């Protein structure tokens, strides 16, 4: 399988097909973040892209390699949902095209002598790049593929909240969780990390430190973190607002350089010490299960024989019979996790294995999704 980084489309996919972290938070946390004109996800987003994270990983065959680049995508639980309708997607894409065309200046054409040295991305109009990106994102959070299913959940409570330990528990037990979890499309037993946010404008962090000790005894030493924010005084953080340029905030920042470093360290640790090892372990476990039931000549014959009776069944475009525990869903998760950790050979082998299943089951939506991944 060709390295996706060698093509424009591949680079775009590597930027957009990355692990999703679901964020659950209390309103008190948001109130502290809004002192900077940002919500929690916006505040953490600039520190979710790692260009030199350098984390050691092993393939299922114990071949070592190192992840150099990595990215997390943070979404509130309330935002993890599919678009309302196909018409809404179409209208959104039309607007992207219109907006990009309105803002694009007509570039000078490359000179004949330089045509071969012009990068492919430079020769593409901005509307095409914007449209392509939105087109990839349009079907996100679908049940038929796992690239947008949350890999982990960041549960965030403020030290100012009443009974913070109970808040952590209540947040995940709420009925506001995404339908992907409630409808059985994905395993609800996902990795959780508990984050206590302390607003330094509310006073000393001594109470927060004591709460952190209690959190660790309740949820586990390695699954809890403390983040102190709003340490700036008299607008001392104003010079740092370029980190949040995409959100165009005009508010003075209450954050200072220490807060920035804490956020960087938090997100790097979450990626390198929790999410990447968790995904690597999940890949190994799923690969063992898939190998035991689906790989090998004997298993393939058994699978084809079992599915042979489905040839006369009606089409099932959405393939709604697959839950997270089905072998087909596990193969899809295995392929998508392998892709996100850049083990492309493992990803491709599982996509191909799954392609036959969906075709025989006449689950055309899922079949199409796997075919896209095969390209």
């Amino acid at each position: 399988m060709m390295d996706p980084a060698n093509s424009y489309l591949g680079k775009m996919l590597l930027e957009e097909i990355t692990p999703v972290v679901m964020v659950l938070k209390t309103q008190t946390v948001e109130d502290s973040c809004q002192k900077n004109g940002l919500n929690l996800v916006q505040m953490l987003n600039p520190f979710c892209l790692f260009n030199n994270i350098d984390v050691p990983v092993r393939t299922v065959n114990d071949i070592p390699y190192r992840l150099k680049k990595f990215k997390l995508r943070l979404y509130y639980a309330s935002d993890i949902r599919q678009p309302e309708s196909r018409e809404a997607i179409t209208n959104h894409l039309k607007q992207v095209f219109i907006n990009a065309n309105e803002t694009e200046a007509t570039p000078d054409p490359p000179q004949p002598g330089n045509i071969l040295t012009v990068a492919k991305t430079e020769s593409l109009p901005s509307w095409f790049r914007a449209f392509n990106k939105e087109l990839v994102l349009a079907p996100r959070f679908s049940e038929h593929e796992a690239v947008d299913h949350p890999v982990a959940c960041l549960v965030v409570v403020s030290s100012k909240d009443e009974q913070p330990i109970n808040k952590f528990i209540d947040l995940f037990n709420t009925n506001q969780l995404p339908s992907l979890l409630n409808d059985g499309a994905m395993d609800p037993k996902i990795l959780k990390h508990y984050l206590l946010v302390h607003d330094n404008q509310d006073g000393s962090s001594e109470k927060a430190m004591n709460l952190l000790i209690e959190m660790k005894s309740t949820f586990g030493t390695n699954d809890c973190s403390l983040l102190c924010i709003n340490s700036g005084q008299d607008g001392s953080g104003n010079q740092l607002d370029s980190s949040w340029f995409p959100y165009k905030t005009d508010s003075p920042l209450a954050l200072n350089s220490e807060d920035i470093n804490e956020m960087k360290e938090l997100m790097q640790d979450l990626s390198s010490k929790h999410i990447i090892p968790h995904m690597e372990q999940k890949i190994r476990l799923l690969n063992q299960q898939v190998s035991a039931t689906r790989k090998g000549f004997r298993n393939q014959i058994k699978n084809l024989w079992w599915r042979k009776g489905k040839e006369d069944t009606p089409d099932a475009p959405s393939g709604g019979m697959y839950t997270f525990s089905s072998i087909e869903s596990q193969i899809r998760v295995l392929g998508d996790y392998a892709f996100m950790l850049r083990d492309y050979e493992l990803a491709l082998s599982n996509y191909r294995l799954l392609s036959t299943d969906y075709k025989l089951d006449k689950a055309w939506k899922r079949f199409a999704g796997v075919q896209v991944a095969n390209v």
Side-chain angles (χ1 to χ4, degrees):
M1 184 178 185
M2 184 185 74
D3 187 343
N6 292 333
S7 68
Y8 162 69
L9 180 59
K11 288 179 181 178
M12 184 184 69
L13 291 176
L14 288 176
E15 291 176 0
E16 302 304 331
I17 300 180
T18 61
V20 168
V21 176
M22 178 174 70
V23 178
L24 297 169
K25 86 300 181 209
T26 64
Q27 185 56 47
T28 314
V29 171
E30 287 290 16
D31 292 342
S32 293
C33 297
Q34 286 295 342
K35 292 180 180 180
N36 301 282
L38 302 162
N39 63 36
L40 175 63
V41 166
Q42 290 171 342
M43 191 176 73
L44 295 177
N45 258 337
F47 313 108
C48 291
L49 175 62
F50 311 96
N51 289 318
N52 191 25
I53 194 168
D54 197 23
V55 178
V57 186
R58 285 184 175 271
T59 68
V60 292
N61 296 319
D62 277 332
I63 299 174
Y65 66 102
R66 304 188 79 87
L67 276 180
K68 296 293 186 180
K69 294 184 178 182
F70 195 69
K71 179 183 176 182
L72 295 177
R73 290 180 290 154
L74 304 185
Y75 289 95
Y76 288 122
S78 57
D79 293 331
I80 298 179
R81 63 183 189 277
Q82 290 184 266
E84 295 178 0
S85 66
R86 184 176 299 179
E87 183 180 1
I89 296 175
T90 302
N91 291 336
H92 174 67
L93 291 175
K94 285 180 179 178
Q95 194 59 47
V96 169
F97 176 80
I98 293 170
N99 292 343
N101 260 338
E102 289 177 350
T103 58
E104 180 176 14
T106 303
D108 294 330
Q111 297 300 313
N114 299 331
I115 192 71
L116 295 179
T117 62
V118 175
K120 290 183 180 179
T121 53
E122 292 179 14
S123 62
L124 293 173
S126 63
W127 69 262
F128 182 80
R129 296 194 294 269
F131 183 86
N132 256 353
K133 181 176 180 179
E134 291 298 321
L135 186 62
V136 169
L137 295 176
R140 60 184 177 271
F141 306 128
S142 172
E143 79 288 345
H144 75 283
E145 54 190 13
V147 291
D148 294 315
H149 294 186
V151 170
C153 179
L154 186 63
V155 191
V156 192
V157 170
S158 170
S159 60
K160 197 176 179 180
D161 280 314
E162 294 184 8
Q163 299 182 321
I165 302 299
N166 290 338
K167 288 284 187 184
F168 279 116
I169 297 171
D170 293 342
L171 278 175
F172 198 81
N173 291 335
T174 178
N175 58 3
Q176 302 299 316
L177 294 178
S179 60
L180 288 172
L181 283 164
N182 293 328
D183 297 344
M186 65 167 287
D187 190 347
K189 296 179 181 178
I190 64 174
L191 176 71
K192 300 184 191 72
H193 194 80
Y194 301 90
L195 176 64
L196 182 68
V197 171
H198 176 70
D199 187 337
N200 277 326
Q201 292 186 354
D202 293 333
S204 168
S205 61
E206 182 179 353
K207 175 186 175 183
M209 295 299 296
N210 291 331
L211 283 172
L212 181 62
I213 294 173
E214 187 179 355
M215 286 168 56
K216 289 182 176 181
S217 67
T218 304
F219 304 115
T221 302
N222 297 323
D223 298 324
C224 302
S225 299
L226 170 65
L227 175 66
C228 294
I229 62 172
N230 298 339
S231 304
Q233 300 294 328
D234 301 324
S236 61
N238 282 347
Q239 71 274 18
L240 301 170
D241 62 359
S242 61
S243 298
W244 294 276
F245 177 75
Y247 308 111
K248 296 180 174 61
T249 175
D250 295 324
S251 303
L253 293 181
L255 302 167
N256 68 7
S257 58
E258 291 182 4
D259 299 334
I260 300 295
N261 290 333
E262 276 201 40
M263 284 187 280
K264 287 180 180 178
E265 185 176 345
L266 167 71
M267 300 315 296
Q268 175 138 351
D269 284 352
L270 183 63
S271 298
S272 61
K273 297 180 181 179
H274 298 278
I275 290 177
I276 293 175
H278 168 74
M279 293 179 70
E280 182 183 6
Q281 183 180 16
K282 183 85 170 179
I283 286 172
R284 287 180 173 275
L285 177 62
L286 289 174
N287 186 68
Q288 290 174 0
Q289 295 173 353
V290 172
S291 296
T293 58
R294 291 299 316 280
K295 294 183 179 179
F297 180 74
R298 179 179 296 180
N299 284 330
Q300 290 180 27
I301 293 297
K302 286 170 60 178
N303 180 63
L304 289 173
W305 182 262
W306 178 74
R307 293 178 189 274
K308 188 177 180 181
K310 296 188 176 185
E311 292 178 354
D312 297 327
T313 59
D315 288 4
S318 63
M321 76 289 288
Y322 306 104
T323 63
F324 71 86
S325 59
S326 68
I327 187 63
E328 294 85 1
S329 294
Q330 291 175 352
I331 296 173
R332 180 72 209 219
V333 171
L334 174 57
D336 288 343
Y337 274 34
F339 184 91
M340 289 188 282
L341 289 192
R342 307 200 176 194
D343 187 348
Y344 303 125
E345 294 299 328
L346 179 63
L348 182 60
S349 67
N350 282 281
Y351 292 148
R352 286 175 173 169
L353 182 65
L354 200 52
S355 179
T356 302
D357 292 353
Y358 287 151
K359 186 175 182 179
L360 291 173
D361 290 349
K362 300 180 181 180
W364 301 122
K365 179 180 179 180
R366 292 174 181 269
F367 176 73
V370 173
Q371 292 301 103
V372 170
N374 274 330
V375 174

